[in-house]
């Protein structure tokens, strides 16, 4: 879990710095990180932030960017028999990409416990909020995170997790379809449609390989 | 430390939309029966989403990012998470400095 905390810190700092440059106060930055807690949609919001802020445009963009959470919570929700009903919903409030990925990774190997999930999600949450606040304060003095490669920390975490999901040829079809669709859509459409496209392509690939195997049997 | 009413409203709208997406999946699986076919589809989502998130960075951003992605993937077969991530960050920084990308 330490690598996630290390990875979220620079992203939080960068978010705070970007938000400050868009004219948000430290209080507004902290509130957004604490209440929204979804980095991707927060960065997109900074792209379209206006004065005065438009709650319709920002709310709708957050809905689009985070629509993947529906699939993620459906997927991880089936792996939470050890959670009580309220605990399940509480856990979903802290469902970020990285936490979900780690939880899926864990659930594939052992039983997912509420204590393990809280131990991952709660520190991650507080580091995100505090790093955003710090970034909004020191934003102007922060160097370019690209120069020391820190922007690569999140993709690197995801790469390690994908390697853990590798299960052979059938699984390879899912990963190949997802990668192809994501790259193509990323080139053609702005925003985060490439994530939805990759997920859809992966699901189609697994259903197709399933049908072919049944047809051969 | 100011809080603009419009900004506050926008933040609340973003928060509401995000919470809706987070709990919708739980509500969904209560009302939709999960058969073997649905189970296969749900199981494909985690690797597919992860792959989709990294693919543009790894394949279509530049040689430094592709090289670092490869290095991270190779390191992941031998090293723990933090070491593999550190290797990726190290390689991307060196490669950017050398290539100038």
């Amino acid at each position: 879990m330490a690598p996630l905390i290390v990875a979220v810190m620079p992203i939080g700092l960068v978010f705070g710095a970007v938000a400050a440059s868009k004219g948000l106060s430290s209080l507004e930055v902290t509130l957004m990180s604490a209440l929204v807690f979804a980095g991707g949609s927060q960065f997109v919001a900074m792209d379209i932030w206006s004065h005065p802020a438009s709650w319709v445009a920002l709310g709708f963009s957050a809905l689009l960017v985070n629509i993947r959470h529906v699939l993620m919570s459906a997927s991880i929700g089936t792996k939470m028999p050890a959670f009580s009903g309220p605990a399940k919903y509480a856990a979903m409030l802290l469902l970020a990409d990285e936490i979900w990925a780690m939880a899926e990774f864990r659930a594939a190997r052992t039983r997912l416990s509420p204590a393990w999930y809280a131990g991952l999600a709660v520190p991650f949450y507080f580091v995100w909020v505090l790093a955003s606040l710090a970034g909004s304060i020191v934003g102007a003095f922060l160097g370019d995170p690209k120069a020391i490669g820190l922007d690569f920390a999140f993709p690197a975490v995801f790469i390690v997790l994908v390697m853990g999901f590798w299960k052979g040829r059938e699984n390879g079809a899912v990963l190949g379809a997802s990668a192809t669709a994501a790259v193509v859509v990323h080139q053609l459409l702005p925003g985060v449609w490439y994530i939805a496209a990759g997920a859809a392509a992966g699901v189609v690939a697994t259903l197709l390989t399933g049908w072919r195997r049944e047809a051969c049997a | 430390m100011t809080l603009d009413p419009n900004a506050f409203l926008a933040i609340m709208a973003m928060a509401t939309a995000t919470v809706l997406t987070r709990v919708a999946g739980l509500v969904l699986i209560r009302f939709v029966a999960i058969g073997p076919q649905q189970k296969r589809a749900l199981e494909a989502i985690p690797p597919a989403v992860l792959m989709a998130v990294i693919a543009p960075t790894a394949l279509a951003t530049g040689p430094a990012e592709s090289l670092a992605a490869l290095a991270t993937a190779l390191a992941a077969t031998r090293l723990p998470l933090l070491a593999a991530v550190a290797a990726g960050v190290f390689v991307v920084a060196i490669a950017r400095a050398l290539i100038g990308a």
Side-chain angles (χ1 to χ4, degrees):
Chain A
M1 294 166 214
L4 273 194
I5 307 287
V6 173
V8 76
M9 230 180 273
I11 315 285
L13 285 170
V14 171
F15 171 72
V18 171
S21 76
K22 290 278 174 179
L24 276 82
S25 71
S26 290
L27 179 60
E28 288 161 354
V29 170
T30 309
L31 264 182
M32 189 187 289
S33 280
L35 295 176
V36 180
F37 183 53
S41 60
Q42 292 179 232
F43 275 105
V44 171
M46 291 307 107
D47 268 350
I48 62 172
W49 194 265
S50 55
H51 292 280
S54 155
W55 70 270
V56 176
L58 289 159
F60 188 63
S61 92
L63 188 69
L64 276 188
V65 174
N66 292 324
I67 202 89
R68 68 187 186 284
H69 284 139
V70 176
L71 294 178
M72 286 159 45
S73 74
S75 172
I76 198 69
T78 61
K79 291 153 193 162
M80 292 178 152
F83 288 60
S84 70
K88 234 183 246 185
Y89 282 90
M92 287 312 148
L93 295 181
L94 293 183
L95 191 74
D97 294 327
E98 300 77 17
I99 289 165
W100 167 79
M102 290 294 277
E104 288 282 354
F105 195 68
R106 173 91 172 176
R109 279 154 186 76
T110 180
R111 196 177 166 86
L112 203 57
S113 77
W116 181 90
Y117 187 92
L120 170 68
V122 173
F124 188 91
Y125 175 82
F126 282 107
V127 169
W128 172 248
V129 174
L130 292 176
S132 307
L133 171 61
S136 74
I137 294 167
V138 300
F141 308 102
L142 196 73
D144 181 7
K146 279 191 94 164
I148 45 173
L150 274 181
D151 60 311
F152 197 73
F154 267 125
V157 168
F158 285 128
I159 289 168
V160 175
L161 293 174
V162 164
M163 293 298 284
F165 273 111
W166 180 264
K167 278 186 247 155
R169 224 169 56 194
E170 188 182 320
N171 193 242
V174 171
L175 295 176
S178 166
T180 309
V183 169
V184 169
V185 172
H186 181 75
Q187 303 292 344
L188 299 178
L189 292 177
V192 291
W193 290 107
Y194 67 96
I195 296 176
V203 169
V204 169
T206 197
L207 293 178
L208 286 179
T209 54
W211 285 328
R212 204 178 55 190
R213 207 179 39 191
E214 278 162 29
C216 293
Chain B
M1 280 290 171
T2 56
L3 184 56
D4 176 73
N6 287 304
F8 180 69
L9 198 60
I11 291 168
M12 292 312 289
M14 289 176 67
T16 307
T18 309
V19 166
L20 276 179
T21 64
R22 281 178 173 144
V23 300
L26 278 189
V27 176
L28 191 74
I29 54 175
R30 278 185 62 182
F31 294 104
V32 180
I34 306 289
Q37 197 79 269
Q38 286 82 357
K39 198 157 179 285
R40 285 172 59 86
L42 279 182
E43 274 169 4
I45 291 170
V49 170
L50 287 176
M51 194 67 202
V53 170
I54 60 173
T57 302
L59 302 173
T61 303
E65 285 75 14
S66 297
L67 198 64
L70 184 65
T72 309
L74 289 177
T77 63
R78 298 285 163 96
L79 302 173
L81 179 57
L82 185 56
V85 169
V89 169
F90 181 73
V91 169
V92 86
I94 299 290
R96 280 175 185 161
L98 293 180
I99 303 169

